Amino acid sequence: MIKRRPSVAGYFYPSNSKELLQEIEEYMPTTLKIDAFGAICPHAGYVYSGSVAGAVYSKLKPKEIFILIGPNHTGYGENVALMTEGEWEIPLGSIKIHSELAKKIIEKSPLAKDDIHAHLHEHSLEVQLPFIYKLNPEAQIVPITLKMLSLKDCLSLAQGIVLAVNELNFRDKVVVVASTDMSHYLPDELARKVDSLAVEKIRNFDPEGLYNTVLEHGISMCGFVPTVTMLYTTKLLGAKEIQVIKYTTSAEVSRDYDKVVGYLGAIVY
């Protein structure tokens, strides 16, 4: 079996399992669960964005399969890269890939390719896994990384995902998580201002508006393509509402208000 080793354990989150579990539990309060179609979560170091991710995952009703869609920061691999076999190791244990669904998505989407290279050193999906493991240790994943895609390609990929989910009768088993941070390295006041433009489109469940707004205003939202794809996917699956759970910037931890990164958490249901 292919084993994908942790790439950022000890850097973005603790490599010690006891320390990691303790930190995850602090970020995940007991709360009412939402039967969600999807979510938006950040992927920075937990010290900065863990409270946002934890606030989201603590509200999700545990599902069997998490389709994870994140940006490709490394530049390796295909434009739309799926791992279809194996498991991802984290300090808490390991999470298997749902091969049947991953392969079915590739079958239904002409854009999607089976490619391990895009995933070996990419952190945007890995940092989601400890939260998913805490939520449901038996959960499986379908990991997808995206480079820059057109709006048409985002919709095409979403349609392929939905065809695969429906054909396998997995509609009630999956949740689609988009991994993204918001503005990068702007003054705090400006970051909040420009991020609010993107958040407004997300609140309105407007994938086209989000795509165009990010490009028009030059918003450095690294995972806007995964987010647009997730919005299309969940809308096609039948989602109607989006609840913004939390927005913050790194300044709330670092106290550096000159160069911040924004973090958003939201649930689609």
Side-chain angles (χ1 to χ4, degrees):
M1 178 177 286
I2 300 170
K3 293 183 182 291
R4 193 271 191 188
R5 310 289 184 186
S7 180
V8 292
Y11 177 42
F12 278 59
Y13 60 87
S15 57
N16 178 278
S17 60
K18 187 176 294 186
E19 291 177 12
L20 176 56
L21 183 59
Q22 181 178 353
E23 188 167 348
I24 289 291
E25 289 175 342
E26 290 175 358
Y27 290 138
M28 293 181 68
T30 302
T31 183
L32 292 174
K33 304 296 184 182
I34 297 173
D35 188 3
F37 286 94
I40 299 170
C41 284
H43 55 239
Y46 285 3
V47 66
Y48 298 110
S49 67
S51 65
V52 179
V56 171
Y57 282 107
S58 65
K59 290 181 179 294
L60 293 180
K61 178 183 176 182
K63 295 287 184 80
E64 296 177 35
I65 307 167
F66 287 74
I67 300 174
L68 304 178
I69 311 178
N72 182 329
H73 292 90
T74 67
Y76 296 123
E78 299 285 346
N79 288 338
V80 179
L82 280 75
M83 273 187 69
T84 61
E85 295 181 348
E87 60 185 29
W88 288 40
E89 295 181 337
I90 56 173
L92 301 177
S94 61
I95 299 181
K96 292 181 180 179
I97 292 172
H98 198 289
S99 293
E100 184 182 17
L101 180 54
K103 291 175 180 177
K104 183 63 71 172
I105 291 172
I106 289 176
E107 177 187 317
K108 296 299 180 181
S109 173
L111 298 171
K113 308 296 181 185
D114 189 347
D115 173 34
I116 191 174
H117 300 291
H119 293 278
L120 292 179
H121 305 291
E122 176 55 54
H123 67 274
S124 63
L125 304 185
E126 178 183 329
V127 297
Q128 311 300 325
L129 300 186
F131 291 100
I132 292 170
Y133 190 90
K134 177 70 173 102
L135 189 64
N136 178 12
E138 302 301 319
Q140 297 186 42
I141 60 171
V142 176
I144 307 173
T145 60
L146 306 180
K147 296 182 183 178
M148 184 60 190
L149 300 179
S150 68
L151 190 58
K152 181 180 178 182
D153 285 347
C154 291
L155 176 57
S156 174
L157 175 59
Q159 290 168 333
I161 293 171
V162 172
L163 284 172
V165 168
N166 286 339
E167 186 165 310
L168 294 173
N169 199 25
F170 284 170
R171 182 184 290 259
D172 296 328
K173 297 182 178 182
V174 303
V175 59
V176 187
V177 178
S179 175
T180 187
D181 293 337
M182 301 299 288
S183 286
H184 287 64
Y185 313 128
L186 297 177
D188 187 76
E189 184 176 357
L190 180 58
R192 291 175 182 272
K193 182 177 179 181
V194 298
D195 283 349
S196 70
L197 300 175
V199 172
E200 179 186 9
K201 301 302 181 184
I202 291 169
R203 285 186 194 274
N204 292 335
F205 214 150
D206 182 2
E208 299 92 341
L210 174 61
Y211 189 97
N212 293 327
T213 295
V214 168
L215 294 184
E216 179 183 347
H217 294 276
I219 302 172
S220 49
M221 177 182 176
C222 57
F224 82 96
V225 169
T227 304
V228 167
T229 303
M230 182 277 292
L231 293 176
Y232 273 134
T233 303
T234 52
K235 183 173 281 195
L236 290 169
L237 287 171
K240 304 296 184 185
E241 303 283 342
I242 295 182
Q243 179 182 351
V244 172
I245 303 300
K246 186 172 183 179
Y247 173 86
T248 188
T249 74
S250 57
E252 294 194 20
V253 173
S254 69
R255 300 303 173 190
D256 179 358
Y257 290 88
D258 294 328
K259 291 183 178 180
V260 309
V261 179
Y263 309 115
L264 174 70
I267 291 177
V268 185
Y269 57 96

